Amino acid sequence: MRLIELPKGARAVVESVQDAHADDAIAQRLRDLGFVPGEPVRLIARGPLGGDPLLIQIGSTRFALRRAEAARVHVRPEAKP
């Protein structure tokens, strides 16, 4: 599933970041921010108009991502306890 499809408040684990082309600077920037395989993430909130941007938490850090950027991140939802 893509990160943009995650329900608000849901937790997941990053599986991959999709490269649009070779030397994709946006995909590399996402990896540099911590969107790497195995990293836990949580969707905190969505913007009011069209759900853009998304507020994402990785560890103790929160990032605002555009939907187009978040669509590149593939995640595996965590099982509910």
Side-chain angles (χ1 to χ4, degrees):
M1 123 183 308
R2 296 180 305 166
L3 184 56
I4 60 170
E5 299 168 330
L6 206 62
K8 181 181 170 185
R11 297 176 187 272
V13 175
V14 174
E15 290 188 323
S16 64
V17 174
Q18 180 181 358
D19 288 282
H21 52 80
D23 299 325
D24 185 346
I26 293 174
Q28 184 57 50
R29 179 69 177 144
L30 289 168
R31 291 184 193 98
D32 291 345
L33 290 172
F35 293 90
V36 294
E39 193 66 29
V41 296
R42 184 166 67 126
L43 176 60
I44 303 297
R46 295 177 188 275
L49 300 175
D52 205 13
L54 303 174
L55 181 60
I56 307 296
Q57 182 169 341
I58 299 178
S60 60
T61 305
R62 293 181 175 188
F63 299 98
L65 293 182
R66 295 183 192 110
R67 288 179 56 85
E69 296 165 344
R72 293 171 171 225
V73 180
H74 294 265
V75 298
R76 176 178 27 87
E78 285 189 347
K80 294 180 181 179

